[in-house]
Amino acid sequence: MTTLIDAPPSDADGILPSKKKSSGGGLGQYILVRFLLIFPTIFILVTMVFFLMRITGDPITSALGGRLPPDQLQERIHAAGYDRPILVQYLEYLGQLITGNFGTTLSDNRKVSEMLTTYGAATLELSINAVLVALVVGIPLGMIAAHRRDKAPDAVLRIFAILCYSTPVFFSGLLFKLTFSVWLGWLPVAGRATTSSELSLTALSAPSGIYWLDALRSGNMAALGDVVAHAVLPAIALGLLTAGIFLRLVRTNVIGTLGKDYIEAGRSRGVSEFRLVTKHAYKPALIPIITVMGLQIAVLLGGAVLTETTFEWKGLGFQLASYLTARDFVAVQGIVVLLAIIVAVTNFIVDIAAALIDPRVRY
């Protein structure tokens, strides 16, 4: 039985459900909220790092305790202001961070900001290379596994994915070095480039610090080949850590998409299974990849510490291990804070990319 509503338009608007009302906001509101969330995230991480570093005492005692007489040690502690109340030190530290002052390292007496700029480019280069490996390996293999579901290739690829994300990166790195550098002699054992290539790239005007980019800018193909050869093993060792996760994600989502009505309609029209997978089913499967990529940045940065140490790749991870050994907590604190900022900003960018691709994310 149909019920008619006899009311003027103005009154009927209050009776009929409005299509204009929505439980979510638009893209602008979503971006603003996500952007504002960056600041409390960084604040919480900075606060945690500061107080956790102070659990073992002041940085001067941690770095130089036992190597200086007590009177000289106390003089340095007083000169650095570490004998003041912890809350005063914390507020001063926040003020320094706002102005971009991360302090001065205790072991080599250099500004932390300069150290972060010098070695941050190396870690960025390694992370970019690793992400490229993860995408090139994970997405195609995930599509193949979905296409050959429950068959031998699918089983092999699933085992491969498990091995990728369960094998410690330092262990796989050592295996790669033994196999391709020591036994076969195909690739360099360690480092970012040979000494001659490093000198030519660092001598450029306004170098970016990313060696392959600087080699392309200068047109130095010999240096580019040398840089790529040094980057292959570290990038594969770190990239496979994420490639396994991408493989499983793509496989699962492509299989789910292949059961949709529009895919069945394509099959009924005689569209080949290969075309359905490569042209229609893989695009929806990329949305979870973009979402998870933000989380994987933290995994990559954590893995970069072990990868850089294994391959003597002089980036932030390599320096972090060195400063931890030297108990230089000022430098460690600066590196950890920078990594936290990178993770927070990257997750913001990933959230925006996911919202642009899939509008449902905004609501």
Side-chain angles (χ1 to χ4, degrees), residues 222-295:
L224 178 62
D226 180 51
V227 168
V228 171
H230 281 80
V232 169
L233 293 184
I236 293 176
L238 184 56
L240 289 180
L241 186 68
T242 305
I245 298 175
F246 286 177
L247 193 159
R248 296 297 297 266
L249 278 174
V250 171
R251 176 189 178 274
T252 302
N253 286 277
V254 168
I255 289 175
T257 306
L258 288 175
K260 299 293 185 182
D261 292 340
Y262 70 92
I263 298 293
E264 294 295 336
R267 288 195 183 100
S268 65
R269 292 196 299 269
V271 180
S272 66
E273 196 71 18
F274 177 79
R275 184 176 178 82
L276 289 174
V277 172
T278 58
K279 297 295 183 181
H280 302 286
Y282 88 98
K283 289 183 179 179
L286 295 181
I287 296 175
I289 290 287
I290 295 173
T291 304
V292 172
M293 190 178 293
L295 301 176

Side-chain angles (χ1 to χ4, degrees), residues 82-250:
Y82 291 127
D83 55 350
R84 294 175 298 171
I86 188 67
L87 184 59
V88 175
Q89 298 181 44
Y90 171 65
L91 294 176
E92 182 180 359
Y93 178 67
L94 290 181
Q96 291 176 347
L97 286 184
I98 293 175
T99 60
N101 181 9
F102 288 84
T104 304
T105 61
L106 302 175
S107 56
D108 49 10
N109 195 30
R110 61 186 303 188
K111 289 186 177 181
V112 176
S113 56
E114 294 180 358
M115 180 268 296
L116 296 177
T117 303
T118 302
Y119 296 103
T123 299
L124 176 61
E125 179 182 346
L126 177 60
S127 300
I128 292 173
N129 297 339
V131 169
L132 291 176
V133 170
L135 293 175
V136 170
V137 173
I139 293 178
L141 293 184
M143 294 170 62
I144 294 173
H147 180 55
R148 308 291 293 174
R149 179 184 181 185
D150 296 331
K151 296 181 181 179
D154 180 29
V156 172
L157 289 175
R158 279 189 287 174
I159 294 173
F160 172 73
I162 294 173
L163 290 175
C164 284
Y165 60 71
S166 63
T167 303
V169 67
F170 69 88
F171 181 72
S172 60
L174 289 175
L175 287 181
F176 290 154
K177 287 176 66 173
L178 286 173
T179 304
F180 298 102
S181 299
V182 178
W183 294 341
L184 298 176
W186 291 352
L187 295 168
V189 176
R192 296 180 63 194
T194 59
T195 303
S196 58
S197 296
E198 285 190 348
L199 290 176
S200 64
L201 294 176
T202 53
L204 297 175
S205 59
S208 66
I210 301 176
Y211 281 176
W212 56 261
L213 180 59
D214 291 334
L216 287 174
R217 287 172 51 202
S218 61
N220 191 341
M221 293 298 104
L224 178 62
D226 180 51
V227 168
V228 171
H230 281 80
V232 169
L233 293 184
I236 293 176
L238 184 56
L240 289 180
L241 186 68
T242 305
I245 298 175
F246 286 177
L247 193 159
R248 296 297 297 266
L249 278 174
V250 171

